[in-house]
């Protein structure tokens, strides 16, 4: 297992749809182990394969909810169904960050309810019905697999702030990355 560098907004792998996983082999198992180690080191609650430069439809997640239920798993070739997001502007409880746009948080309306169907490392299909933050995590990571960052979904005012941050930090172009445990850029 290894902690991998995380790509920053602008890298082409983050802005392209990921390819399905054809076979769960030792290479995929190693990648998933590295995703978990990288996610935990960052620290984050989810990490998609494109964020570490691998254009495959895989994401990991790890989160403890308010009732101390631990949600931790991998989604390979996931499908996601969501309820309509609520209308209106996001409030402070709807802020999220991203390890591929580290150190920043913006409000974003997400669906309150999601159903995730995916394959685990044993090749078994599973389904999770999620609400609240777990539903948000699934939507955020699933977006990565479609080449969408959460900053792409922000309103016009926040898009201008994102563009200013990207210019100031030299992001928004290929080759930018950071290393969890080495660089201080938490998302």
């Amino acid at each position: 297992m290894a902690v991998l560098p995380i790509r920053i907004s602008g890298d082409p792998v983050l802005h392209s749809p990921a390819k399905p996983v054809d076979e769960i082999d030792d290479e995929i198992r190693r990648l998933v182990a590295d995703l978990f180690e990288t996610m935990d080191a960052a620290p984050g609650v989810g990490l998609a394969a494109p964020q570490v430069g691998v254009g495959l439809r895989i994401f990991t997640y790890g989160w403890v909810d308010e009732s101390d239920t631990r949600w931790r798993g991998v989604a390979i070739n996931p499908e996601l169904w969501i309820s309509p997001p609520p209308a209106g502007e996001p409030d402070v409880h709807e802020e999220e960050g991203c390890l591929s746009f580290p150190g920043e948080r913006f409000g974003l309306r997400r669906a309150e309810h999601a159903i995730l169907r995916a394959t685990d490392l044993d090749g078994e299909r599973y389904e999770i019905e999620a609400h609240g933050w777990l539903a948000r995590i699934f939507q955020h990571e699933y977006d990565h697999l479609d080449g969408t960052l959460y900053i792409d979904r922000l309103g016009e005012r926040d898009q201008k702030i994102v563009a200013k941050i990207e210019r100031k930090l030299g992001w928004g172009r290929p080759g930018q990355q950071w290393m969890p445990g080495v660089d201080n850029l938490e998302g």
Side-chain angles (χ1 to χ4, degrees), residues 44-46 59-67 69 71 80 82-83 90-98 104-116 128-142 150 187:
V45 295
F59 70 78
T60 55
Y61 56 92
W63 179 67
V64 178
D65 68 19
E66 51 282 338
S67 65
T69 301
W71 298 94
L80 190 68
I82 61 173
S83 62
D91 63 30
V92 69
H93 303 292
E94 294 174 300
E95 284 188 349
E96 63 186 70
C98 180
E104 302 297 330
R105 298 185 67 77
F106 293 93
L108 179 63
R109 283 275 154 116
R110 294 273 193 187
E112 267 299 307
H113 176 79
I115 298 172
L116 174 71
I128 297 176
E129 196 166 324
H131 302 275
W133 274 101
L134 186 58
R136 178 179 291 274
I137 292 166
F138 289 165
Q139 291 168 77
H140 181 107
E141 299 310 323
Y142 188 85
Y150 92 108

Side-chain angles (χ1 to χ4, degrees), residues 67 81 172 175 178:
S67 65
W81 287 266
W178 69 282

Side-chain angles (χ1 to χ4, degrees), residues 23 61 68 77 83 89 186:
E23 179 185 354
Y61 56 92
D68 283 337
N77 295 333
S83 62
E89 293 295 315
E186 298 90 36

